[in-house]
Amino acid sequence: MAHKPSLVLYQPEIPPNTGNVARLTAGAGVDLHLVEPLGFSLEDKYLKRAGLDYWPRVRLTVWPDWLTMEKHVQDEGGRFVFSTSHSGVNYCDFPFEKNDFVVLGPETRGLPPELYADRPTVRIPVTDAVRSLNMSTAAGILLYEALRVSSSLPYP
C-alpha cells in the first residue's frame, strides 16, 4: 500500500503536460502511474524537456491497461479518486487518504464516465469562462491538497 497519495494519468495525450506532472511527482516524492495507450513515446523530446533533469527521480510505473492497474491497486488496498469537471465533491471538501490514487484523464476527452461511475470523484471549481483547467495544473492542485489532507507533505 502507498504511504502517500499517488497520481495516475489515464491515457495522457500531450507530452509536455506529462513531463510537467513527472516533475511535480518527483518534487513531491510520490509515485506517478501512466496507463496506456499513451499519446506519445516516453522518449519524446518535449516530454523530456518538460521534466528537465528530474526524470531519474520520477518513480514511474507504466501500465499496459486500466484493468491491470486496477487489480494491482485493489490488491494493495488502495483507493481511486477520480478527477472530473462534470461532477464530484469540491476537492477542498474531499477526505483524501494516504493510499489514494488520484486519477486524471486524457486532455482532449477526460475520463470515460464508466470508469468513475459510483466511485469517489472530485472537481476543481472554475468559472464559466473555461471548460476545465490544464491537466498538469489540475494535477498540482489535487496532489498537494491530497498530501495536505492526508498529512503526507514532502517537507516539514
Side-chain angles (χ1 to χ4, degrees), residues 61-126:
T61 304
V62 179
W63 299 94
D65 55 61
W66 176 257
L67 293 177
T68 303
M69 183 192 178
E70 185 176 43
K71 180 175 180 349
H72 171 78
V73 170
Q74 289 173 343
D75 289 348
E76 294 294 317
R79 175 179 76 160
F80 288 111
V81 177
F82 296 87
S83 172
T84 173
S85 60
H86 305 293
S87 63
V89 175
N90 183 317
Y91 79 99
C92 294
D93 298 325
F94 190 80
F96 288 100
E97 299 174 0
K98 289 183 180 187
N99 66 336
D100 284 344
F101 289 74
V102 180
V103 183
L104 294 101
E107 293 90 341
T108 62
R109 61 190 191 278
L111 291 168
E114 60 273 11
L115 210 62
Y116 60 84
D118 301 319
R119 292 177 152 183
T121 58
V122 294
R123 63 180 172 72
I124 301 170
V126 295

Side-chain angles (χ1 to χ4, degrees), residues 5 96-98 100 102 141-152:
F96 288 100
E97 299 174 0
K98 289 183 180 187
D100 284 344
V102 180
I141 292 168
L142 295 173
L143 176 60
Y144 272 86
E145 180 66 1
L147 289 167
R148 185 189 71 79
V149 171
S150 68
S151 301
S152 301

Side-chain angles (χ1 to χ4, degrees), residues 5 11 18 51 58 83 118 130 148:
Q11 300 180 356
T18 300
V58 177
S83 172
D118 301 319
V130 297
R148 185 189 71 79

